[in-house]
Amino acid sequence: MQSNNKTAERQDNLALLLCHFMRKGGHRVATSLKELGRLGQRRYGGFFYEEFLKELQGRKGIEAFREMSENDDVIGSIFFAIELLIRQAAWDVQPGGDSAKDKEAAEFVQGCMDDMQ
């Protein structure tokens, strides 16, 4: 039992040593075994659930943002500016694979996008 505690203590000490700053090429570089972030987003059914206010999530959130943009000139102008920036972006459709079906689907979606202009 005591050897397990010593092993755990050694691992903790090693982790502490790795967390200290090390010098590489004259620059300090932090090395750590701790998690720095996480992958992915919380989404389900096409909706993102990253908003911490329940009133601004899902369909209720869409309605709340629409109401805010229609009733407040500042918010409406910000949404309009964002919409114009998105419209100016160059959109491109790339096939999901090398098969003929993938290429056909990409051409179809690109054709639909071109028809919208």
Side-chain angles (χ1 to χ4, degrees):
M1 191 74 169
Q2 195 169 12
S3 66
N4 288 339
N5 289 340
K6 285 186 179 186
T7 304
E9 186 178 329
R10 285 183 189 151
Q11 289 174 347
D12 290 342
N13 289 339
L14 179 61
L16 286 173
L17 286 173
L18 287 173
C19 289
H20 288 286
F21 286 97
M22 297 175 58
R23 286 207 171 271
K24 284 191 177 179
H27 300 287
R28 287 187 175 187
V29 179
T31 57
S32 174
L33 298 177
K34 291 184 178 180
E35 181 178 333
L36 297 177
R38 62 180 174 87
L39 297 175
Q41 298 166 328
R42 294 186 304 162
R43 61 182 174 154
Y44 179 75
F47 290 102
F48 289 93
Y49 293 98
E50 296 291 323
E51 181 63 53
F52 64 93
L53 293 175
K54 297 288 184 190
E55 297 85 16
L56 298 179
Q57 288 183 357
R59 296 191 191 281
K60 286 174 62 177
I62 293 170
E63 291 299 319
F65 284 120
R66 181 177 292 131
E67 183 180 342
M68 285 190 284
S69 69
E70 291 172 355
N71 293 330
D72 190 302
D73 294 335
V74 174
I75 294 174
S77 63
I78 290 171
F79 281 156
F80 183 68
I82 291 170
E83 181 181 342
L84 288 179
L85 288 172
I86 290 172
R87 286 185 182 191
Q88 288 178 354
W91 295 90
D92 187 31
V93 179
Q94 298 177 354
D98 293 329
S99 71
K101 274 187 167 183
D102 291 333
K103 292 177 183 177
E104 183 182 341
E107 288 175 10
F108 174 75
V109 171
Q110 186 68 46
C112 291
M113 287 174 51
D114 292 338
D115 290 343
M116 286 191 273
Q117 295 178 1

